[in-house]
């Protein structure tokens, strides 16, 4: 089992719709959770950070964390073609040293 | 722009050679992490430096080594290059290790090709 799993996609949604991106993780010691967006040929850019159970909203983005289910998600409301990118879920482990584990990413296409 | 810079942008090396990649962290950041990203994959954690000390390491062999300097800039050294080392190498800096201080900001990366 991979430490951080994401559906590779592609996930295709029409412009204006809600895009839902999911991520599961295997280590219950995971402490913090991040979502990054990566455009083709570019480096990842931070979207959101969440570390407690529940929802966290920032503009059109909402991150949801459920530690009991070891599940974190990202919702993108009013999706725009410019949101088309790969979305990476990252988990921080502190096991006698910090490690950041990324999922393989989900490709999102927003159709105009 | 995140304020994190990396050099060089691109590099071509021959199998068996050694390479040094450099990273300047964002102003005020004392933590630097290095990642290897193969095409179509997520970044793989190599190691992290916090205040000049290695603070965490991923599943990479010892021929991957690093340094962090007093100004918190960092180097990644790879010895005895192998063809599979061809990848995008990313550096990320953060304010610290706790909570939101751990938000990482990535540099543009160095594309390494090993022939």
């Amino acid at each position: 089992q991979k430490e951080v799993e994401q559906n590779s996609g592609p996930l295709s949604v029409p412009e204006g719709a809600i895009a839902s991106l999911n991520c599961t993780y295997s280590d219950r010691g995971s402490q913090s959770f991040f979502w990054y967006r990566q455009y083709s040929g570019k480096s990842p850019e931070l979207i959101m950070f969440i570390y407690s159970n529940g929802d966290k909203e920032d503009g059109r983005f909402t991150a949801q964390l459920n530690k009991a289910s070891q599940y974190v998600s990202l919702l993108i409301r009013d999706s725009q073609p410019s949101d088309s990118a790969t979305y990476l879920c990252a988990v921080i482990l502190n096991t006698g040293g910090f490690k950041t584990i990324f999922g393989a990413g989900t490709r999102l296409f927003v159709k105009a | 722009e995140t304020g994190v810079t990396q050099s060089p942008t691109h590099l071509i090396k021959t199998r068996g050679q050694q390479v040094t990649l450099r990273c300047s962290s964002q102003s005020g950041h004392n933590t630097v992490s290095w990642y290897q990203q193969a095409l179509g994959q997520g970044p793989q954690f190599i190691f992290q430096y916090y205040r000049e000390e290695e603070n965490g390491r991923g599943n990479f062999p010892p021929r991957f080594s690093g340094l962090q300097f007093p100004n918190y800039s960092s180097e990644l050294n790879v010895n005895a290059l192998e063809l599979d080392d061809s990848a995008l190498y990313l550096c990320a800096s953060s304010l610290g290790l706790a909570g939101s201080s751990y938000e990482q900001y990535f540099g543009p990366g160095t594309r390494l090709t090993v022939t």
Side-chain angles (χ1 to χ4, degrees):
Chain A
Q1 181 187 7
K2 291 183 180 178
E3 292 175 286
V4 178
E5 295 206 51
Q6 297 182 254
N7 187 325
S8 63
L11 172 65
S12 184
V13 300
E15 184 175 359
I18 295 175
S20 178
L21 304 161
N22 305 315
C23 172
T24 58
Y25 58 94
S26 60
D27 194 317
R28 288 194 175 274
S30 302
Q31 298 185 336
S32 304
F33 307 86
F34 296 83
W35 283 99
Y36 289 86
R37 175 174 61 196
Q38 187 171 28
Y39 292 111
S40 182
K42 301 292 186 182
S43 58
E45 56 178 317
L46 179 67
I47 299 175
M48 291 194 72
F49 153 73
I50 187 168
Y51 66 91
S52 57
N53 279 326
D55 295 359
K56 179 180 179 181
E57 186 174 319
D58 184 0
R60 295 187 296 114
F61 299 97
T62 299
Q64 300 174 318
L65 175 61
N66 183 326
K67 290 187 177 181
S69 301
Q70 295 175 244
Y71 175 93
V72 58
S73 66
L74 180 70
L75 300 178
I76 306 174
R77 289 181 298 281
D78 188 23
S79 296
Q80 301 297 309
S82 59
D83 293 326
S84 298
T86 296
Y87 288 80
L88 298 162
C89 170
V91 170
I92 310 302
L93 299 176
N94 184 2
T95 54
F98 284 83
K99 292 175 63 174
T100 306
I101 309 298
F102 277 84
T106 298
R107 287 177 296 152
L108 172 67
F109 291 108
V110 181
K111 299 175 293 185
Chain B
E1 295 292 330
T2 61
V4 180
T5 61
Q6 292 186 244
S7 62
T9 305
H10 296 89
L11 202 52
I12 299 174
K13 289 285 190 179
T14 303
R15 189 171 50 183
Q17 286 187 314
Q18 178 266 341
V19 69
T20 297
L21 309 182
R22 294 179 174 83
C23 170
S24 291
S25 58
Q26 188 170 319
S27 178
H29 286 190
N30 58 23
T31 306
V32 172
S33 301
W34 285 93
Y35 297 87
Q36 180 194 69
Q37 187 175 26
L39 203 59
Q41 301 296 316
Q44 299 294 308
F45 178 72
I46 302 175
F47 44 58
Q48 175 185 271
Y49 280 84
Y50 172 66
R51 294 184 176 179
E52 303 179 59
E53 297 284 331
E54 187 180 291
N55 180 259
R57 190 177 180 93
N59 298 325
F60 280 80
R63 60 190 184 85
F64 286 79
S65 63
L67 281 174
Q68 188 179 31
F69 300 100
N71 66 355
Y72 302 133
S73 66
S74 179
E75 286 183 353
L76 164 65
N77 300 290
V78 187
N79 293 322
L81 283 166
E82 301 177 359
L83 296 179
D84 284 350
D85 295 333
S86 296
L88 179 68
Y89 287 84
L90 294 163
C91 160
S93 74
S94 59
L95 270 174
L97 301 175
S100 62
S101 297
Y102 206 77
E103 294 178 357
Q104 295 184 62
Y105 296 89
F106 283 83
T110 294
R111 173 71 62 186
L112 173 65
T113 302
V114 182
T115 62

